[in-house]
Amino acid sequence: MSDTGAGGDEVIHDAPGFIRVYKSGRVERFLRIDLAPPCTDAATGVSSKDITILPGAGLSARIYLPPVPAGAQQGKLPVLVFFHGGGFCLSSAFDAAAHGHANQLAARAGAIVVSVEYRLAPEHPVPALYGDAWAALQWVAAHAGGQGAEPWLTNHADFGRVHVGGESAGANIAHHAAMRAGAEELGHGVKVSSLLLIHPYFLGGDSSESDEMGMALLDELVRLWPVVCPGTSGCDDPWINPMAEGAPSLAGLGCKLALVCVGGKDAMRGRGRLYCEKLIGSGWQGEVEIWEADGQGHGFHLFRPTCAQAEAQVRVVAEFLGRR
């Protein structure tokens, strides 16, 4: 659709209540971000602080360090590099819901969480954020070689247990980071141990068994995709559909374990399941698990973090990360 906004600037995409994009490049975002400061969380004891990954490039992160359990000695901790959702164009690692979720993951998994504040489209069109994800992973890996300046990583991280994960669009980003880790070296001997996909955001030209649960949402995402990824070939572009014919083989995924979490009432549930099926059938030499939150929709854990299913999902993720 197109329309004319104030000053004659043509509107090329309008998702009421979420985002409006103009032909001039101007972007208006309407989804409120409730920014939460880094802190020591009273409920979990997890400490957090903000760090810069690439000065001048707009790439930063919030890092979370769990407390030492009472009576225990501090051992080396796994690292989870995590990417927030938001359709590639919304939200923030510093949003209160994302902050609370990262606190829970760090506490329950006993892991250092690096929640990445990547650059958003359409100001920085896809695939820029995939480059940001790789830069964040390389930044973490550099600490294994003594080249990093973040003491929480140099003093506490187990670089033999580096995981990559995300939710929604962040899960899409995490997938591509893990694929790149299968084709390129991160450096300093660091490998990606596992991949965590929570309610992954994948599209596709073919329908899936769960499409009917959210046709309006899917239609909106299909319209949004070429706005955030100009020049795309469409919904079977490998960036948004890694299961498409002609996409890089999933056999190249650069880890040996994967967990896919889906919601029973999520319109993208079918594509999460299809991802698992395609991964198994690709010849990938790893193990994939799928876990479903019965009766729950897309991103439910951010809106109802204390509900039984949200707590169960965090528990499943923590147990998965503890396996390696």
Side-chain angles (χ1 to χ4, degrees):
M1 66 163 287
S2 66
D3 200 351
T4 302
D9 197 357
E10 183 182 354
V11 177
I12 61 172
H13 183 84
D14 190 8
F18 293 94
I19 190 169
R20 182 180 297 140
V21 183
Y22 295 85
K23 189 174 183 178
S24 66
R26 183 163 62 96
V27 178
E28 293 179 306
R29 291 178 173 86
F30 306 108
L31 188 67
R32 177 183 174 184
I33 296 178
D34 183 13
L35 294 176
C39 62
T40 298
D41 183 62
T44 63
V46 172
S47 299
S48 59
K49 63 181 175 180
D50 295 340
I51 52 92
T52 299
I53 293 176
L54 288 180
L59 182 58
S60 61
R62 180 163 292 175
I63 186 169
Y64 298 80
L65 182 68
V68 180
Q73 290 189 346
Q74 178 74 72
K76 295 293 186 179
L77 304 174
V79 180
L80 171 62
V81 182
F82 196 80
F83 304 98
H84 68 82
F88 307 110
C89 61
L90 296 167
S91 198
S92 168
F94 308 139
D95 179 68
H99 175 74
H101 187 231
N103 269 320
Q104 288 295 321
L105 291 176
R108 294 297 296 269
I112 299 170
V113 176
V114 179
S115 184
V116 181
E117 181 76 343
Y118 53 85
R119 294 172 296 169
L120 298 178
E123 296 94 333
H124 304 280
V126 174
L129 42 73
Y130 298 121
D132 288 352
W134 187 249
L137 274 172
Q138 287 184 311
W139 176 83
V140 169
H143 290 77
Q147 297 179 17
E150 175 45 57
W152 285 5
L153 289 174
T154 54
N155 295 337
H156 302 295
D158 179 353
F159 293 101
R161 294 185 291 165
V162 173
H163 312 279
V164 62
E167 57 199 5
S168 192
N172 175 300
I173 295 169
H175 159 77
H176 287 291
M179 287 293 293
R180 188 166 177 178
E184 300 180 31
E185 293 290 334
L186 274 171
H188 311 287
V190 175
K191 305 291 184 183
V192 173
S193 296
S194 75
L195 172 64
L196 166 65
L197 305 183
I198 300 175
H199 309 173
Y201 172 21
F202 300 132
L203 297 177
D206 296 331
S207 62
S208 82
E209 50 87 18
S210 60
D211 284 1
E212 70 280 358
M213 291 190 292
M215 289 305 300
L217 170 63
L218 290 172
D219 287 346
E220 190 62 56
L221 293 174
V222 168
R223 289 199 311 115
L224 178 63
W225 173 241
V227 177
V228 300
C229 187
T232 179
S233 59
C235 290
D236 282 329
D237 185 325
W239 287 127
I240 198 64
N241 183 10
M243 296 84 75
E245 185 176 350
S249 173
L250 296 178
L253 193 69
C255 59
K256 296 301 182 184
L257 292 171
L259 171 65
V260 179
C261 297
V262 298
K265 289 187 176 180
D266 185 356
M268 295 187 187
R269 180 191 68 190
R271 287 182 173 81
R273 288 177 170 175
L274 180 62
Y275 179 89
C276 294
E277 294 171 9
K278 293 290 188 180
L279 187 57
I280 292 169
S282 70
W284 175 62
Q285 299 299 305
E287 179 183 346
V288 60
E289 302 174 12
I290 188 165
W291 183 84
E292 181 171 319
D294 187 40
Q296 300 298 322
H298 193 78
F300 75 95
H301 56 284
L302 298 176
F303 309 113
R304 298 188 305 281
T306 60
C307 75
Q309 290 281 45
E311 292 180 349
Q313 183 173 273
V314 169
R315 183 171 62 251
V316 167
V317 169
E319 291 172 354
F320 171 76
L321 296 176
R323 290 177 51 189
R324 174 66 179 86

